[in-house]
Amino acid sequence: MTTPADRSARDRTTGEDIVWRRATEADFPLLREWLEHDYVARWWHHETSAEAVARDFGPSARGEEPSQDWLALRGARPFGLVQRCRVADYPEYAHDLAGIVAVPAGAAMLDYLIGDPAAVGCGLGPAMIAAMAAKTWREWADATAIVVPVVAANRRSWRALEKAGFTRVGEGDLEPDNPIDEPLHYVYRLDRPSGSSGCSGQ
């Protein structure tokens, strides 16, 4: 259930608030549809069978792993997905990332997509990222920064981060989601605003 506290950013294009709810197994058909769009598949390169979606999103939906899948909505309509985790919860990836940039203790990490084709090119990507950053500062008192690696070829993605206030802090090789891409990634970081605090809940 979304609450007023989750209405954390305003979409400047439409004037509607971005609200959040955790993805559940009932959302898997929608996620599957989104992952099948060419512009999503190009970068996420995710299997789209019902079994694969259940395999990869099910543990988060059931609270069995630390990564969280959040649907971004305008009104009652979902338009995007943000995955959120603490970097330290995935030690192998944290090790690889630390080979490129300094990763502060308490860092969070995001991945994201715009799933609704009608929402593409409307400025919702930066707004969604900024909204999740604000939500993270509120909810995770121990989050010191948000670090996001993006394959260098995905200009639209890293430009959205820049528009949301993130700064490029390094670049280096990581395994890309899509094997057709070169391993070069840009790493972006947003630090917790001074004076910002929150609760430690999920």
Side-chain angles (χ1 to χ4, degrees), residues 89-160:
D89 286 333
Y90 295 88
E92 184 175 344
Y93 195 80
H95 176 269
D96 293 343
L97 191 58
I100 300 174
V101 297
V103 180
M109 188 163 58
L110 307 179
D111 202 356
Y112 45 84
L113 63 85
I114 299 294
D116 182 354
V120 175
C122 300
L124 283 169
M128 181 177 73
I129 294 166
M132 181 51 71
K135 180 176 176 65
T136 299
W137 305 143
R138 284 198 312 276
E139 295 180 348
W140 288 2
D142 60 341
T144 55
I146 301 172
V147 180
V148 184
V150 181
V151 67
N154 193 352
R155 185 178 189 278
R156 174 171 284 183
S157 181
W158 52 258
R159 284 291 293 138

Side-chain angles (χ1 to χ4, degrees), residues 35 40-46 57 81 83 111-113 177:
L35 290 166
V40 175
R42 167 64 184 86
W43 302 110
W44 277 61
H45 195 64
H46 198 287
F57 291 90
L81 171 74
Q83 295 182 321
D111 202 356
Y112 45 84
L113 63 85
D177 291 333

